[in-house]
Structures are given as C-alpha cells and as structure tokens.
Amino acid sequence: MRTRRTTAPLGTAVLALAAGLLVGCERGASTGAAPSPTTPARAGCPAALARAEAAVRQAEKSDPAGGSAPAGGPTAVPGKTVVYVAQTMVNPGVAGTAEGVQEAARAIGWNARVIDGQGTPAGIQAAFSQAIALRPSGIVIGGFDPRLTSQQVAKARADHIPLIGWHAVGSPGPSKDPGLFTNVTTRVEDVAKVSSDWIIAHSHGTAGAVVFTDASIPFARNKSELIKKELATCSGVQVLDEENIPIPDTSSRTPQAVSSLLSRFGDRWTHSVAINDVYFADAAPALRAARRKGTAAPFNIGAGDGDPSAFQRINGGQFQAATVPEPLSAQGWQIVDEFNRAFSGEPASAYVTPVHIATAANSAGHTTWDPPGYRAAYRKIWGKGP
C-alpha cells in the first residue's frame, strides 16, 4: 500500500507518524512491454540465472501455482454483516479490496458496508468507532496500522467482534499483537525475491540496478533490504545505488534523482526496482526529458501492489516493464471467507496468494491482476454454487 498525493498501497499498511501521513499498504526472461537486453556472451551467474528464470516463468503464468483460493472450508454461516474500515478510498489498493469484500458478501448472502477513514488518523479512528457502534459481525482493518486505533481495537475485542486485516501488519496470517483473526496480504519476502529475480532473468545476469525505497518506513526498508539480498545472489548484477526517497516526496524528489542517476551512470543503469510503483510514475518525466525510450533501459519493475496506473504504464510502454501486483478482488473474497471461518469456530485458512509478475505480454490490456477461478472456488466452499 502507499500514500502519495492522491493515491496510496505499500506491501502493507504502516503509520508514518513523524510525517503526519499514513502509508497504505501499501511482477524470466520476460519481455513484456520492454525488450530484453542483448544476451551477453557469458552470464554473470549461471546457476542463479537459471533459478531466477524458472521462478519468473512460474510467476508470469496466469493461473497461479497452488490455486487462487483455499482447498476447502466451512459452508456459509447465514445472516452476517461486516464493515470495512478503509484507510482512504482514494487508495486504489484499499478501494479494490473493499469492492472485492462487497462482491463476496453478496455472493455468500451477507451485508457489507464500507466506512472511509479519509486518510487521516482522526478520520480512521472515527470510522472505526462508527463501525463498532453498528455492532457488526466482523470488522476489516483496511490498509492501516491497527496501533493507530488501539482503543477501537480493544473495544472491538471486548465486544467479541472478529477483526481481519488487509495489509494491516507485515505478514499474512493470524496476529496476537495486534489481535487479528488473520491478516490478508502476500509475503513481502516472496514479492522482494521475485522482483529481483525478474531483473536477474531479464538482464541475463548482467544488470546495473538501482533500488528505490523509503527508509523511513520499516516495512519498506525491510523490503528493499530483501531485494538487495536477492540481487546479490547473482555476481553479474551490480547495485549501482539505492535512492532513499520518502513516498510523500516522490513527485518532488524522484525526477531530480533520476536526472542525477543518468548523469552518473549513463548506460550502466539498465534496471530499476522500487518498493512501490509510484516511483516510476514520477521517474517518467525525467527519463522522457533525457530522450530515453519508454520501452528501453532502464527497465523498471515495481515490487508493490500493481495499481491501475502501473498497468497503464506497462501496457503503454511508458517507462515501466513489470509489476508484482496484489490480486485485490481475490483478497476481498478471501477476507469474507476468513470471516466465515471465524464465525464457524474454525481457524484461519493459512492461504496466501502466490506472487505474480504482470507485463504487457501477459496482462491482456487489463489494469488489475484478477486470477482465474477464485469466485467459483469460494462459492463451492460456501455451498453457494457448483
């Protein structure tokens, strides 16, 4: 998830209190919209390259390994109401997941309501308090740090209202502190690894890479460290620089940083990876001003969310070649399924969405990642369809 001027999702939601901003939480040799560099005579890391190519080929498939829903679960508990407390509905990730929750609620026969926190601590706290006052069966913490609403979390738990997070903490699955029945998100380790593998594979093990991060956010800093660790598995890949630009400052600082990188590294800069796609929206003007082609180096991959604007850049060949998107609607359906497990007295599913790499070659012009089959799978679990 992410917070920026009018949009938000990093891989998870984190509160940047010092800045007074919320970060919403907040993808082998792929060609996609960007042609692969000329294959060198010798790859810099044959073993690592072969492994990266295999990982990327798997991640680029339209049908994810392991399926797009849990293997089974309890049938639908009738007559429930859930409330989705949104960090801000201008955040595409938050909004996309909320829409998935509403769609799934209709399919299972429940009521669902969304309350917009409008992107401020006070607004989110008020929205959460309003949700509790409705006495719902369950509440979704949609894209914000539960520690921001510790009083509301304590009240909900005292009222025995199950809480499920979307990008609310750093890892998928149940959480004891804060107390969540489960948290729905991809694994940051998987996202970091596959985005780095894409660079290794796309460059044939010979990249000069730049990493864009926001070190003020622990989750983002951890992601970029994991990215660098994976890139280091290939001796032919050199991390030229790491640009630390706070997400709220991307529009003002990224163009200047890109101009400096071009001046310092020239054609040695072949690839970039960012903890969030927003950096490439702000890098594009500087690359364009330098007369770089949108489908040429540096080839850029976003390691986070894959919002519609990222897909538009990828499909249009505009300075982004790939992204590692979250399947927002599918995760909304998973949230409803997890609530059904809570209401049935069963544990959380332990299902985690496999990572996916989206390029122009496999996105079919779409602006979201919507894996096949999950709607029918959940309906079957709930006893609401074949």
Side-chain angles (χ1 to χ4, degrees):
M1 276 183 317
R2 59 199 168 284
T3 295
R4 63 171 304 191
R5 301 172 298 284
T6 58
T7 61
L10 285 165
T12 190
V14 182
L15 177 66
L17 288 174
L21 292 168
L22 288 164
V23 177
C25 62
E26 234 54 305
R27 279 179 202 313
S30 162
T31 55
S36 183
T38 302
T39 305
R42 292 177 55 191
C45 51
L49 175 59
R51 176 189 49 74
E53 288 175 337
V56 169
R57 282 195 298 270
Q58 180 60 54
E60 286 183 324
K61 293 181 179 179
S62 296
D63 195 358
S68 54
T75 57
V77 176
K80 298 298 181 179
T81 297
V82 296
V83 177
Y84 186 104
V85 179
Q87 179 238 355
T88 171
M89 288 295 284
V90 301
N91 179 322
V94 172
T97 309
E99 291 170 4
V101 168
Q102 292 176 305
E103 181 186 47
R106 290 191 295 270
I108 201 172
W110 296 351
N111 294 315
R113 177 172 176 177
V114 177
I115 303 178
D116 191 350
Q118 300 181 353
T120 68
I124 292 170
Q125 290 163 4
F128 205 147
S129 295
Q130 183 181 351
I132 294 172
L134 294 172
R135 304 183 65 83
S137 309
I139 295 175
V140 184
I141 296 175
F144 59 89
D145 188 338
R147 288 170 292 189
L148 171 65
T149 55
S150 57
Q151 292 183 351
Q152 288 82 4
V153 167
K155 171 63 174 171
R157 288 174 59 81
D159 290 349
H160 305 289
I161 301 173
L163 301 175
I164 291 179
W166 179 77
H167 290 208
V169 295
S171 300
S175 170
K176 291 185 178 180
D177 184 19
L180 304 177
F181 179 75
T182 196
N183 180 58
V184 176
T185 184
T186 49
R187 291 188 180 94
V188 65
E189 298 87 354
D190 295 345
V191 173
K193 182 177 183 300
V194 80
S195 58
S196 301
D197 285 344
W198 183 87
I199 288 178
I200 294 170
H202 189 267
S203 70
H204 309 291
T206 60
V210 171
V211 179
F212 291 89
T213 191
D214 182 347
S216 70
I217 302 170
F219 178 84
R221 183 172 63 248
N222 178 50
K223 185 189 287 189
S224 57
E225 290 300 315
L226 291 168
I227 287 170
K228 291 188 293 182
K229 181 179 179 181
E230 181 65 13
L231 289 173
T233 65
C234 179
S235 59
V237 171
Q238 180 184 5
V239 176
L240 301 174
D241 200 0
E242 181 176 15
E243 291 292 325
N244 174 26
I245 301 174
I247 285 179
D249 298 338
T250 57
S251 62
S252 60
R253 292 180 52 183
T254 302
Q256 181 179 355
V258 168
S259 296
S260 175
L261 290 165
L262 289 170
S263 176
R264 290 159 57 201
F265 300 114
D267 291 341
R268 292 172 57 202
W269 178 19
T270 66
H271 289 77
S272 309
V273 56
I275 52 94
N276 193 276
D277 294 292
V278 66
Y279 290 91
F280 301 130
D282 295 315
L287 291 169
R288 191 174 292 112
R291 300 186 181 278
R292 293 297 177 113
K293 294 182 179 180
T295 56
F299 301 99
N300 300 318
I301 182 169
D305 285 351
D307 66 35
S309 66
F311 276 85
Q312 289 165 4
R313 287 190 297 276
I314 292 166
N315 294 333
Q318 293 298 310
F319 305 102
Q320 186 166 350
T323 188
V324 186
E326 295 283 280
L328 303 175
S329 179
Q331 289 178 337
W333 280 67
Q334 183 183 348
I335 287 169
V336 169
D337 182 68
E338 301 291 0
F339 273 128
N340 194 55
R341 294 168 192 269
F343 302 151
S344 301
E346 296 196 12
S349 71
Y351 175 79
V352 180
T353 307
V355 290
H356 175 70
I357 294 175
T359 68
N362 68 4
S363 67
H366 296 156
T367 57
T368 59
W369 164 231
D370 199 34
Y374 65 88
R375 292 177 176 88
Y378 282 120
R379 286 191 179 101
K380 185 176 180 180
I381 291 171
W382 302 334
K384 295 290 183 177

